[in-house]
């Protein structure tokens, strides 16, 4: 693994881009189901709201898997962990593609999510360590960008493919691509034992800060608000906005473009004005989701609102992630995993509540209403964080694989709160 010192400013090691490609596959598998719900429900003999549990189950697997795997692999060779995670990811998709049982597909999704949690928790540390302290934040953005790009490219392509091959086609494709990714990562990540500079006790001790939990709470709520609506956006678009099923992937592309723009915007503005950026974006997200209730009956306005939902909601993500990592100081591994878990708690809770609302008298307006309420609640931890403590300094230090210990007396810059 390249040492931090060997990374020049403005240039990221190739391994960061390889890992981002892995997160692209995993982001695709998490969200592509939203565009395949009607096909999945019909083929497996369940209702659309029941099929939505496939998204909830994946989120639950990520909630459990990310912190558990982060701690379980703390002292294991990183390359071995990443290859194993991708192999399990591949097998999970093969099982799902071959099964005719909803229960088996659901279980396969949970196992796949556990593997995703392992890959993300280890891959994040590998990427930031390889990039070095000067480029750690940018490496974080590239990793998150892999997930975001999945919404721009992976999810729409998967939805398009599902129109012609059925929902199993995208699952077969993901199995093949993840198998190839395992081989590729085995080629580009050196087979060396990592040297652990952070103890399990230090990782747990870092969780005592209240401001860290405020950042995690904001991450959970903003993702819960957006995904409560996004999970059931396909029936909303086809039955309420009268958009043809074949055109739904185009609307999902609009969401992905908005999410990519939001991630980029948050990464740039969040360095200087993190709280202004996140509070403004969270308020805008709640407004967009609320407007989706009366304005989603028109195809044009519905598409514009889906785009804005991605733009505003995903602006918050990189900022709260960066803040959580800064607050963790010298013990970032468990915190990075818990950030992933927080996002997925939001996904699981938001999609589950939205499914209940969809089956109620609210009908298709239920999910955006649920999303509006959850997104509005994001303002509570963000406001508390702005008032009480995001100005105190923290440090970002990744786990080192180099023979020498990283310096622990060099603080990273903490953004101004004005």
């Amino acid at each position: 693994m390249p040492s931090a010192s060997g990374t020049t400013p403005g240039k990221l090691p190739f391994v960061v881009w390889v890992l981002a490609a892995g997160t692209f596959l995993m982001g695709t598998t998490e969200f592509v189901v939203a565009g395949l719900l009607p096909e999945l429900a019909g083929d497996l003999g369940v209702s659309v709201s029941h099929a939505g549990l496939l998204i909830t189950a994946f989120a639950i697997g990520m909630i459990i898997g990310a912190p558990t795997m982060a701690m379980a692999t703390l002292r294991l060779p990183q390359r071995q962990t990443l290859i194993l995670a991708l192999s399990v990811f591949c097998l999970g998709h093969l099982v799902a593609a071959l099964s005719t049982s909803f229960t088996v597909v659901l279980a396969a999704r949970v196992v796949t999510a556990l593997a995703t949690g392992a890959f993300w928790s280890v891959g994040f540390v590998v990427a930031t360590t390889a990039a070095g302290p000067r480029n750690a934040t940018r490496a974080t953005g590239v990793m998150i960008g892999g997930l975001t790009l999945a919404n721009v490219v992976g999810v729409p392509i998967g939805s398009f493919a599902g129109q012609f091959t059925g929902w199993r086609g995208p699952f077969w494709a993901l199995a093949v691509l993840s198998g190839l990714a395992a081989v590729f990562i085995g080629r580009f990540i050196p087979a060396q034992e990592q040297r652990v500079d952070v103890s399990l006790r230090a990782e747990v001790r870092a969780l005592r800060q209240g401001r860290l939990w405020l950042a995690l709470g904001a991450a959970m709520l903003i993702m819960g608000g957006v995904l409560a609506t996004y999970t059931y956006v396909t029936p909303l678009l086809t039955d309420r906005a009268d958009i043809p099923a074949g055109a739904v992937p185009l609307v999902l592309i609009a969401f992905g473009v908005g999410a990519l723009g939001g991630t980029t915007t948050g990464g740039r503005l969040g360095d200087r004005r993190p709280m202004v950026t996140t509070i403004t974006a969270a308020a805008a997200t709640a407004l967009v989701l609320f407007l989706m209730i009366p304005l989603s009956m028109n195809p044009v306005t519905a598409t514009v609102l889906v785009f804005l939902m991605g733009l505003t909601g995903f602006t918050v993500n990189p900022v709260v992630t960066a803040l959580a990592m800064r607050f963790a100081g010298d013990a970032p591994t468990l915190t990075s995993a818990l950030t992933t878990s927080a996002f997925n708690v939001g996904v699981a809770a938001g999609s589950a509540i939205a499914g209940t609302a969809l089956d109620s008298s609210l009908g298709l307006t239920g999910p955006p209403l649920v999303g509006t309420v959850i997104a509005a609640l994001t303002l509570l931890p963000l406001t508390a964080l702005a008032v009480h403590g995001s100005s105190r300094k923290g440090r970002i230090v990744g786990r080192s694989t180099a023979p020498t210990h990283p310096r622990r007396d060099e603080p990273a810059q903490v953004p101004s709160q004005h």
Side-chain angles (χ1 to χ4, degrees):
M1 180 71 62
S3 68
S5 61
T7 304
T8 58
K11 185 176 180 180
L12 293 177
F14 183 63
V15 68
V16 175
W17 301 99
V18 173
L19 291 168
T23 63
F24 168 81
L25 292 177
M26 294 175 177
T28 299
T29 201
E30 181 167 12
F31 299 119
V32 74
V33 171
L36 301 172
L37 279 184
E39 291 82 2
L40 275 159
D43 188 45
L44 298 176
V46 297
S47 66
V48 172
S49 62
H50 198 61
L53 291 175
L54 293 173
I55 295 176
T56 305
F58 191 95
I60 292 174
M62 284 288 288
I63 293 166
I64 298 171
T68 301
M69 296 301 176
M71 293 297 94
T73 61
L74 191 64
R75 294 177 174 84
L76 294 179
Q78 294 169 327
R79 187 178 76 161
Q80 178 183 331
T81 303
L82 293 171
I83 293 174
L84 180 61
L86 282 167
S87 299
V88 174
F89 184 88
C90 174
L91 290 174
H93 283 83
L94 289 176
V95 170
L98 291 169
S99 178
T100 58
S101 166
F102 178 79
T103 302
V104 172
V105 175
L106 191 70
R109 289 281 288 175
V110 174
V111 172
T112 302
L114 291 173
T116 300
F119 183 92
W120 176 254
S121 61
V122 175
F124 183 91
V125 177
V126 171
T128 53
T129 300
R134 294 182 179 179
N135 291 323
T137 301
R138 188 179 169 207
T140 302
V142 170
M143 291 284 285
I144 294 176
L147 294 173
T148 307
L149 191 62
N151 286 294
V152 181
V153 179
V155 171
I157 288 177
S159 298
F160 269 123
Q163 301 290 328
F164 300 99
T165 66
W167 66 270
R168 299 177 194 276
F171 275 67
W172 280 110
L174 286 165
V176 172
L177 291 173
S178 57
L180 292 174
V183 175
F184 209 66
I185 281 179
R187 166 70 178 80
F188 285 101
I189 295 183
Q192 62 186 75
E193 297 291 327
Q194 70 187 87
R195 178 167 185 150
V196 178
D197 294 314
V198 182
S199 69
L200 178 60
R201 181 176 297 178
E203 294 283 345
V204 174
R205 189 164 52 241
L207 303 182
R208 295 177 180 175
Q209 302 182 71
R211 58 184 179 159
L212 172 60
W213 290 101
L214 289 173
L216 293 176
M220 175 190 69
L221 290 168
I222 193 64
M223 189 55 67
V226 172
L227 266 294
T229 306
Y230 183 76
T231 298
Y232 300 102
V233 74
T234 297
L236 180 77
L237 296 173
T238 56
D239 298 347
R240 187 170 172 83
D242 292 326
I243 295 176
V248 168
L250 296 176
V251 182
L252 298 183
I253 291 176
F255 174 83
V257 171
L260 187 60
T263 301
T264 303
T265 301
R268 291 182 177 180
L269 299 181
D271 281 338
R272 292 170 296 175
R273 301 176 181 271
M275 303 319 306
V276 170
T277 300
T278 52
I279 291 174
T280 302
T285 302
L287 178 60
V288 167
L289 296 178
F290 177 75
L291 291 175
M292 197 170 286
I293 298 172
L295 300 180
S296 60
M297 298 183 71
N298 180 280
V300 175
T301 56
T303 302
V304 171
L305 288 170
V306 169
F307 165 78
L308 292 175
M309 176 174 67
L311 179 66
T312 58
F314 277 74
T315 297
V316 179
N317 295 354
V319 185
V320 292
T321 299
L323 287 175
M325 294 297 293
R326 287 188 176 96
F327 297 155
D330 292 342
T333 307
L334 184 55
T335 295
S336 69
L338 287 176
T339 303
T340 303
S341 294
F343 283 128
N344 283 277
V345 167
V347 173
S351 60
I353 298 172
T356 301
L358 180 66
D359 287 335
S360 73
S361 60
L362 294 171
L364 293 172
T365 63
L369 179 59
V370 170
T372 299
V373 174
I374 298 176
L377 290 174
T378 308
L379 295 171
L380 296 179
L382 290 177
T383 301
L385 192 57
V387 171
H388 292 296
S390 60
S391 60
R392 285 174 289 177
K393 293 187 182 253
R395 293 175 290 177
I396 302 178
V397 178
R399 288 189 297 179
S400 175
T401 58
T404 58
H405 294 277
R407 290 181 59 186
R408 296 179 181 266
D409 58 349
E410 183 178 337
Q413 290 184 349
V414 177
S416 168
Q417 308 307 310
H418 301 290

